[in-house]
Amino acid sequence: MNSPVPPGAALPDHPDFLWRTPEPKPSYDVVIVGGGGHGLATAHYLAQNHGITNVAVLERGWLAGGNMARNTTLIRSNYLWDESAAIYEHSLKLWEGLEDDLGYPILFSQRGVLNLAHTEQDVRDSVRRVEANRLNGIDAEWLGPDEVAKICPIVNVSDDIRYPVQGATYQPRAGIAKHDYVAWGFARRADEAGIDIIQDCEVTDFVVDGDRVTTVRTSRGDIACGTVALCAAGHTSVLLDRLGVRTPLQSHPLQALVSELLEPVHPTIVMSNAVHVYVSQAHKGELVMGAGVDGYNGYGQRGAFHVIERQMAAAVELFPVFARAHLLRSWAGIVDVTPDASPIVGHTPYANVLVNAGWGTGGFKATPGIGWAFADTVAHGRPHPLVAPFALDRFVTGALVDEHGAAGVAH
Amino acid sequence: MQLITCPWCGPREETEFRYGGQADLAYPADPSALDDEQWARFLFFRDNPKGTFAERWCHDAGCRRWLRAVRDTRTYVFAETGPYGSFPRRSARPERSA
Ligand SMILES: Cc1cc2nc3c(=O)[nH]c(=O)nc-3n(C[C@H](O)[C@H](O)[C@H](O)COP(=O)(O)OP(=O)(O)OC[C@H]3O[C@@H](n4cnc5c(N)ncnc54)[C@H](O)[C@@H]3O)c2cc1C
Ligand SMILES: [Zn+2]
């Protein structure tokens, strides 16, 4: 495949500064803790949809240097249950107009996702998920192995493999985007609206009065707050521990890796729960791969090599053409997983502390959708209908939203 | 890859072990006496500290026994391992109900 243009040539240049570097004010109506994708998107929609701009986004490191910088940017909405389908599809629709909304290139490329099935049970579950998706108005198809090979010719669909490909679900509207640009686009719009984005500012504690938090303590001094909106991903339980609020969140390392730059060989996204790997090819040409979390709890932003080794064995099994590719780089983020692989969004025992967490291995795709719904939740002090099913009390009522089937290896 | 010291088999590769999460969670003495809130807490709610964590590990590919480990979740370094139930429990932290 000869392309006349080198891969990456069409990418925009690195931008100049897109937001101010303000000193923290003594007080804000809304303090968002965490300047990852979710915190920045929440800030943008608070301003755009609700006219709330006396807002600070506090980030302990640099802007979007957490999971937002480390994720593999898969975007899709083909989840099983109605509750998940609703929020992820809302998000996907926002992705489809996001470049215009932000006035910033985000390189959203709807190249489709194949979720492979390798066993009879996989096939039954997949067909069921396709039907469930269709009932929710989500584009979904069931494809046999030959059709899989038509969409992605480099997948090994032969029988001569330990877990032959029996077919796949296909969501054509799924895709990838450029994560940094997404973060910068949201940050720029929030900043333009007057919201303060404050980096190098770690929230270390809270001052409590009854059932309210009056002040957040930070590495840059105390900041009084109307509402606190937690968007701290893997560190959410560290913060809630300061308030004595327990959750089922567990923080795990999640790794990903890229190959060296290659000519375009992989036109779509392929995920396999059973063989346990997922792969896409980034705009510049790297193969981007990952799989599930490292087994133990960890805050180290690194994982174990044997986990990567297993993913690579799976990748080479499914894509024999990758056997000669070289690994360029691997890294890890800290993801906050829940028992039902669904997020925790909404109220806490503190009247003015709202939480958005538990997106685990798959929250990038939710960035605009949750920013939208969480901003609405913050603005009105009640859960937006899209997040209401994801309240913390579902672990008591038993109304879990079990997405392990659709989320497994998947992101 | 890390070596984890099994109290029975000695230092073995990490891949021989399976993680079992937080240690020292006793099964409720009288489960039917628990209300939904208490049951949820037993079933789903776990500590998730950034730092020292007392954990269960199972030596799956070895003696298949459970052990108790104290590990730092920032560095992943094991401070100690021993037979399950061999060292003292931490007291529960104060908490707010959800
Ligand atoms: C390797 C990897 C691959 C992934 N792949 C995908 C994928 O393909 N598709 C997908 O949909 N999702 C994926 N995810 C998941 C996705 O990245 C996360 O669910 C999502 O980024 C979480 O939201 P966020 O962007 O706000 O998190 P983050 O970017 O982690 O933002 C949280 C921020 O809070 C800050 N913070 C924490 N504590 C404090 C404090 N005390 N004070 C101030 N700030 C604080 C952190 O520094 C961080 O910047 C992946 C994750 C990883 C690690
Ligand atoms: Zn042993």
Side-chain angles (χ1 to χ4, degrees), chain A residues 45-379:
Chain A
Y45 291 116
L46 272 175
Q48 176 168 286
N49 294 356
H50 306 281
I52 298 173
T53 55
N54 185 18
V55 176
V57 180
L58 309 183
E59 167 53 51
R60 68 198 278 266
W62 67 92
L63 184 126
N67 295 331
M68 189 64 175
R70 295 154 200 271
N71 80 85
T72 50
T73 81
L74 305 192
I75 297 165
R76 61 193 177 89
S77 64
N78 57 351
Y79 283 69
L80 177 64
W81 299 106
D82 295 350
E83 296 85 349
S84 326
I87 179 97
Y88 289 112
E89 178 60 17
H90 178 66
S91 197
L92 181 49
K93 292 211 170 79
L94 289 173
W95 280 111
E96 290 173 330
L98 197 59
E99 199 152 290
D100 290 340
D101 180 15
L102 297 179
Y104 198 76
I106 56 165
L107 304 186
F108 181 44
S109 156
Q110 291 181 288
R111 53 184 65 188
V113 65
L114 292 164
N115 293 80
L116 302 183
H118 301 271
T119 64
E120 273 186 47
Q121 189 58 41
D122 260 1
V123 173
R124 283 190 288 264
D125 291 344
S126 301
V127 171
R128 176 186 178 205
R129 186 160 47 73
V130 164
E131 299 301 342
N133 288 163
R134 286 186 172 166
L135 288 172
N136 280 314
I138 292 169
D139 56 320
E141 294 166 47
W142 168 254
L143 305 180
D146 293 348
E147 294 163 298
V148 169
K150 262 184 224 145
I151 289 172
C152 190
I154 58 172
V155 179
N156 182 4
V157 295
S158 74
D159 283 337
D160 185 22
I161 167 177
R162 184 160 176 208
Y163 299 107
V165 174
Q166 314 261 346
T169 69
Y170 184 48
Q171 181 178 26
R173 284 165 61 242
I176 58 173
K178 189 99 175 125
H179 49 83
D180 288 337
Y181 297 171
V182 174
W184 299 342
F186 277 118
R188 188 180 74 135
R189 286 295 306 275
D191 176 82
E192 278 170 4
I195 289 174
D196 286 354
I197 295 166
I198 302 166
Q199 304 178 73
D200 241 329
C201 181
E202 177 168 11
V203 173
T204 53
D205 209 348
F206 303 93
V207 180
V208 170
D209 181 11
D211 71 344
R212 297 185 71 81
V213 165
T214 55
T215 300
V216 297
R217 297 241 129 108
T218 82
S219 54
R220 297 179 61 176
D222 286 359
I223 301 174
C225 53
T227 301
V228 181
L230 297 179
C231 292
H235 279 83
T236 303
S237 57
V238 173
L239 285 159
L240 287 174
D241 274 351
R242 307 299 312 177
L243 290 167
V245 175
R246 257 165 93 77
T247 70
L249 295 169
Q250 298 281 287
S251 298
H252 285 263
L254 175 64
Q255 305 188 66
L257 53 99
V258 290
S259 73
E260 71 226 285
L261 305 189
L262 300 168
E263 290 292 317
V265 288
H266 186 9
T268 181
I269 304 161
V270 172
M271 328 187 69
S272 165
N273 277 2
V275 179
H276 216 68
V277 71
Y278 65 89
V279 188
S280 70
Q281 188 167 17
H283 297 84
K284 267 191 299 181
E286 311 99 314
L287 297 169
V288 182
M289 298 182 247
V293 296
D294 279 41
Y296 45 70
N297 292 28
Y299 288 86
Q301 287 188 326
R302 64 190 170 82
F305 190 71
H306 65 261
V307 176
I308 287 186
E309 207 175 4
R310 247 181 252 148
Q311 295 173 16
M312 291 309 89
V316 172
E317 174 99 344
L318 283 176
F319 300 93
V321 66
F322 293 174
R324 297 287 166 103
H326 293 109
L327 176 85
L328 188 67
R329 214 150 33 85
S330 75
W331 64 88
I334 310 164
V335 297
D336 41 341
V337 300
T338 62
D340 60 356
S342 285
I344 294 173
V345 187
H347 287 293
T348 70
Y350 289 87
N352 64 336
V353 179
L354 295 162
V355 65
N356 164 50
W359 292 91
T361 61
F364 174 74
K365 67 179 68 63
T367 303
I370 189 60
W372 179 288
F374 197 45
D376 184 274
T377 300
V378 169

Side-chain angles (χ1 to χ4, degrees), chain B residues 6 8-9 17 59 62-65:
Chain B
C6 171
W8 297 281
C9 312
F17 296 82
H59 192 189
C63 63
R64 306 197 58 189
R65 291 210 256 181

